[in-house]
Amino acid sequence: MSKRALISLSDKSGILEFAKELELLGYEILSTGGTKSFLEQNGVAITSVDQVTNFPEILDGRVKTLNPMIHGGLLAKHDDPSHQAQLEEHQITPIQIVCVNLYPFRETISKQDVTFEDAIENIDIGGPSMLRSAAKNHQYVTVVTDASDYAEVLAQLKESGETTIETRRKLAAKVFRHTAAYDALIAGYMTDLAGEEFPELLTLTYERKQSLRYGENPHQQAAFYKRPLGSDFSIASATQLHGKELSYNNIQDANAAIQIVKEFKLPAAVAVKHMNPCGVGTGETISVAFNKAYEADSTSIFGGIVALNREVDAATAKVLAGIFLEIIIAPSFSDEAIAMLTAKKNIRLLTISYEQTKKDAWNTVSVEGGLLVQSPDTFGLKDADVKVVTDREPTADEWKALELGWSVVKHVKSNAIVVATEDMTIGVGAGQMNRVGSAKIALEQAGQRAIGAGLASDAFFPMNDTVEIAAKAGITAIIQTGGSVKDQDSIDKANEYGIAMVFTGVRHFKH
């Protein structure tokens, strides 16, 4: 049986060496378009696809390989007499190797100035068809879509004249993952253009960024995947400058930290433990902001993750270096900061882009047998229909404390209570089964610092008991959702203690 290889590539990395080796192994190489020109210019003998199909390229190259002379050669079973008889009848030669990658659709739509016409013309039709045909028939056909597989394929061809069935099956599986991911990107692009938010079929694709040593616990396996064309403001797009490989829990905590720090325009620092903030601070400089975050809870920050929204300078690095931290995330680090912090062998230093140029992605959470999808909670105090419901209005400083608390509380596991001053959190109560329980934790942590501070709740007060304990702790202003059938009881209790209370009409549950 004659030996044929079909090569058609957008990304031609490594193909010249691969094609020359195939030629030496006795393969006739079929090609078309730019790949044909490239290989011929570099001394590889090529048979043009239109010589095989006896039909020219038409429709500006939209139709080249969609022909029985090609797909018959790809799909025929080599050990089926009926198939072989049909090949002979129609003068079709089998193709044993297919080397194809696809039009750069992803790279095209990632351009800010991409037009609809450019996007559509970069939807490959012939390429996926050839890949799928070859992969379906992998019992007989070796199909390669990734340049990293060229060496293994060549080694097996040189050793035994053919690839193993195990290799062909592995490569076929890679093809179907590749074409599925390609189609998922196209489906997402077209769905966005059509303005459909929750289509009847949700097609998602992710690329493995790294394998992880283990998951939440050492007995669990795990890997970290990145969404193609996702936001640069993400841990998946971060650059690690120093330290050990990130773990599953590191990634979760780091993501929680950056979601909080992006709430702030002023220099801000956020410390996170177990996906909840233990300290948040703002200030005129990033050094002042971090000192506030540290003072918020100097015990819990031990072994935590810190995110900052300004470059880490020498003054800030000096303080950071004196604390045991797992990760520090910032837009950049000064040379002096790098020198100080890299003296600590295991600390991870990450930089991410704080320029959010893409719309926020949907939030997804897996449940057994399904996936929950929702829009992100980007609702801020400026978006709320804020109402002062008590006799006294908040002072200017109290408004600042309420705004900071409201910005943080939506990132705290429900039931959530945050006690804050105008520039830092001083108490965080998270994840309790009743709201007054979270309030007690936050107020106990705040201690004497609660006097004159503000309190933020992620949802309404079902009873007035939270207002009661807040007042006794010294809280002078409260921000909450409102909407309870017993709102008036809480309002009356706040008036009794001279507390200013604000309703937002919006809750911030985080489960």
Side-chain angles (χ1 to χ4, degrees):
M1 182 184 293
S2 61
K3 298 191 291 186
R4 269 187 170 175
L6 193 158
I7 301 176
S8 179
L9 302 164
S10 293
D11 179 2
K12 299 174 179 60
S13 303
I15 192 55
L16 181 59
E17 296 78 7
F18 186 65
K20 286 183 174 180
E21 290 290 345
L22 289 179
E23 191 175 31
L24 290 173
L25 290 168
Y27 282 85
E28 176 191 10
I29 297 176
L30 313 185
S31 192
T32 185
T35 306
K36 174 179 176 290
S37 298
F38 172 76
L39 293 176
E40 285 181 330
Q41 289 167 9
N42 285 279
V44 180
I46 298 295
T47 300
S48 177
V49 165
D50 58 19
Q51 291 177 256
V52 175
T53 62
N54 292 314
F55 202 91
E57 293 183 18
I58 62 172
L59 306 180
D60 298 320
R62 283 187 168 198
V63 178
K64 291 179 281 195
T65 57
L66 297 171
N67 189 287
M69 301 300 288
I70 297 299
H71 286 273
L74 294 175
L75 286 164
K77 296 179 181 179
H78 295 185
D79 55 3
D80 186 317
S82 172
H83 282 204
Q84 292 305 307
Q86 291 176 68
L87 291 183
E88 186 174 348
E89 177 185 356
H90 297 290
Q91 298 183 343
I92 298 173
T93 302
I95 299 171
Q96 293 85 8
I97 295 177
V98 171
C99 183
V100 169
N101 55 45
L102 306 177
Y103 291 174
F105 180 79
R106 171 181 168 179
E107 292 78 6
T108 300
I109 63 171
S110 68
K111 299 173 184 175
Q112 291 188 353
D113 58 349
V114 63
T115 64
F116 173 73
E117 290 75 18
D118 284 343
I120 291 299
E121 289 307 316
N122 277 280
I123 295 176
D124 203 330
I125 303 300
S129 298
M130 288 188 290
L131 287 175
R132 289 172 60 83
S133 292
K136 176 177 180 175
N137 205 32
H138 70 272
Q139 186 74 23
Y140 314 96
V141 181
T142 301
V143 55
V144 189
T145 192
D146 184 344
S148 67
D149 293 314
Y150 292 165
E152 181 181 2
V153 169
L154 286 174
Q156 292 186 16
L157 291 175
K158 290 176 181 179
E159 181 178 345
S160 62
E162 63 179 2
T163 55
T164 65
I165 183 60
E166 291 79 14
T167 294
R168 294 196 297 276
R169 186 161 293 145
K170 180 185 73 172
L171 293 174
K174 180 179 279 193
V175 161
F176 285 118
R177 292 194 299 270
H178 181 64
T179 56
Y182 190 80
D183 283 341
L185 286 174
I186 297 169
Y189 176 79
M190 296 299 293
T191 299
D192 287 345
L193 281 182
E196 296 184 69
E197 292 188 340
F198 296 104
E200 77 287 351
L201 293 173
L202 183 64
T203 51
L204 302 175
T205 184
Y206 291 83
E207 301 167 347
R208 188 178 65 206
K209 180 178 173 68
Q210 68 187 88
S211 296
L212 302 174
R213 287 177 295 157
Y214 53 82
E216 280 184 294
N217 299 290
H219 61 275
Q220 295 172 270
Q221 295 179 310
F224 185 25
Y225 285 80
K226 178 181 179 181
R227 184 167 62 89
L229 305 180
S231 171
D232 290 336
F233 182 80
S234 72
I235 298 305
S237 297
T239 299
Q240 184 165 347
L241 305 180
H242 178 72
K244 296 188 298 184
E245 184 178 90
L246 295 175
S247 71
Y248 183 100
N249 293 333
N250 288 157
I251 293 166
Q252 289 268 52
D253 288 338
N255 179 64
I258 66 171
Q259 297 309 314
I260 302 170
V261 81
K262 79 175 182 180
E263 296 280 346
F264 298 95
K265 301 298 184 187
L266 289 172
V270 173
V272 162
K273 285 287 287 291
H274 305 297
M275 295 181 66
N276 280 306
C278 57
V280 177
T282 63
E284 293 182 359
T285 67
I286 199 63
S287 181
V288 170
F290 176 72
N291 286 334
K292 293 289 185 182
Y294 177 75
E295 291 168 14
D297 188 346
S298 59
T299 299
S300 297
I301 197 174
F302 182 85
I305 281 79
V306 170
L308 309 105
N309 64 358
R310 297 291 192 278
E311 179 175 88
V312 176
D313 55 21
T316 310
K318 185 176 181 180
V319 181
L320 289 166
I323 306 165
F324 170 59
L325 298 170
E326 291 278 357
I327 304 172
I328 303 170
I329 310 161
S332 58
F333 295 79
S334 72
D335 291 342
E336 296 89 345
I338 289 284
M340 279 188 270
L341 293 170
T342 54
K344 305 185 76 169
K345 180 180 178 182
N346 292 326
I347 193 169
R348 292 91 159 177
L349 304 181
L350 303 181
T351 60
I352 62 171
S353 170
Y354 277 64
E355 297 297 322
Q356 181 68 289
T357 58
K358 298 182 176 69
K359 70 175 184 178
D360 292 313
W362 295 103
N363 289 338
T364 59
V365 177
S366 62
V367 296
E368 182 132 0
L371 190 73
L372 288 168
V373 181
Q374 68 171 351
S375 60
D377 184 0
T378 58
F379 199 94
L381 193 58
K382 66 181 184 304
D383 304 308
D385 182 16
V386 176
K387 296 178 181 177
V388 178
V389 295
T390 49
D391 295 339
R392 187 174 75 80
E393 292 195 4
T395 65
D397 286 347
E398 287 171 340
W399 273 118
K400 291 177 183 177
L402 295 180
E403 183 173 3
L404 190 147
W406 186 249
S407 296
V408 175
V409 76
K410 73 178 183 180
H411 298 282
V412 179
K413 297 288 187 179
S414 299
N415 288 315
I417 297 289
V418 171
V419 181
T421 66
E422 62 180 16
D423 56 7
M424 63 186 287
T425 58
I426 53 177
V428 178
Q432 299 305 298
M433 282 61 73
N434 61 76
R435 190 155 301 281
V436 73
S438 289
K440 287 177 179 177
I441 292 170
L443 291 165
E444 180 181 358
Q445 182 187 1
Q448 291 299 306
R449 297 183 296 178
I451 298 171
L455 181 146
S457 173
D458 67 343
F460 64 62
F461 298 150
M463 300 178 185
N464 66 8
D465 47 4
T466 300
V467 180
E468 177 84 33
I469 65 167
K472 290 181 178 178
I475 295 294
T476 58
I478 292 174
I479 187 167
Q480 58 138 315
T481 300
S484 169
V485 295
K486 293 188 177 182
D487 273 348
Q488 194 58 49
D489 290 350
S490 293
I491 294 169
D492 292 342
K493 185 62 67 175
N495 284 329
E496 177 184 335
Y497 285 99
I499 291 175
M501 188 157 65
V502 172
F503 283 2
T504 65
V506 175
R507 79 178 188 197
H508 279 313
F509 276 170
K510 183 177 177 64
H511 283 78

